[in-house]
Amino acid sequence: MKIRLNINDGDYERIHNELIQHGIEPDDSAELVLSKVNGFAEKLVVKDTSTNERVIVSCGDIVYIESYGHMINVTTGNAVYYANERLYKISEQLNKTDFLRISNSVIVSKKHIKKITPTLSMKFILTLSNESRVDVTRSYYHSFKETFKI
């Protein structure tokens, strides 16, 4: 059997050698392709708040995600949805370059942050693209500053 590899340079040699050990021949002209994806979700399955129907939301549309006890709200630019998973599980699915945890109960999309306002008590108040305001708590203050080089 021949397989074409579509893998980054860092993993290419290791995977190439493993395939050979298992009797599989890597070949750039093969029809079958083995590729490695980044492992982050591009979409989340959530529930519509009014109809309770399942909806697929693109992660790029998410402004922020907030937890209220066991209830998780996923807010986009024009709607709020419910998620069934715990906040930490959703956090594991999201790309860390696009999303940032700013408190024990809030994850924000970095691209939807429009304004950062410092406070006197080692906190920041973020104004998001949908005009929502959320707080960066003291526990996340230093990691937030480091992320944005403030």
Side-chain angles (χ1 to χ4, degrees):
M1 177 190 283
K2 294 181 180 182
I3 287 187
R4 183 172 28 149
L5 296 177
N6 183 17
I7 298 174
N8 63 20
D9 293 337
D11 293 330
Y12 185 89
E13 192 65 34
R14 179 183 58 81
I15 292 173
H16 181 272
N17 292 336
E18 279 187 43
L19 289 173
I20 290 173
Q21 289 175 359
H22 289 91
I24 300 171
E25 182 183 340
D27 185 347
D28 289 337
S29 63
E31 288 184 29
L32 296 174
V33 178
L34 176 67
S35 61
K36 184 176 178 182
V37 295
N38 65 13
F40 297 113
E42 294 179 16
K43 299 178 182 192
L44 291 179
V45 178
V46 294
K47 288 187 177 181
D48 189 306
T49 55
S50 58
T51 64
N52 210 27
E53 292 180 356
R54 287 182 174 219
V55 179
I56 298 174
V57 175
S58 169
C59 287
D61 295 338
I62 297 172
V63 176
Y64 70 101
I65 302 168
E66 188 167 17
S67 156
Y68 298 101
H70 292 293
M71 188 167 58
I72 308 293
N73 287 348
V74 177
T75 304
T76 63
N78 53 5
V80 178
Y81 302 96
Y82 294 129
N84 288 331
E85 294 188 70
R86 307 283 308 257
L87 191 63
Y88 79 91
K89 286 283 192 190
I90 294 172
S91 176
E92 291 171 356
Q93 297 175 37
L94 299 172
N95 190 336
K96 305 301 182 251
T97 60
D98 298 334
F99 291 89
L100 181 65
R101 188 110 183 221
I102 61 165
S103 74
N104 286 338
S105 60
V106 179
I107 299 170
V108 295
S109 169
K110 291 179 187 177
K111 75 177 185 179
H112 287 282
I113 297 172
K114 296 300 177 194
K115 183 177 176 184
I116 301 170
T117 307
T119 67
L120 295 174
S121 59
M122 285 183 60
K123 285 181 155 184
F124 290 107
I125 299 172
L126 307 180
T127 304
L128 305 174
S129 62
N130 66 351
E131 300 305 320
S132 297
R133 296 178 73 174
V134 292
D135 291 349
V136 177
T137 61
R138 282 183 273 208
S139 302
Y140 292 84
Y141 177 82
H142 293 292
S143 64
F144 183 84
K145 280 180 65 171
E146 186 176 309
T147 299
F148 285 98
K149 310 285 189 255
I150 298 175

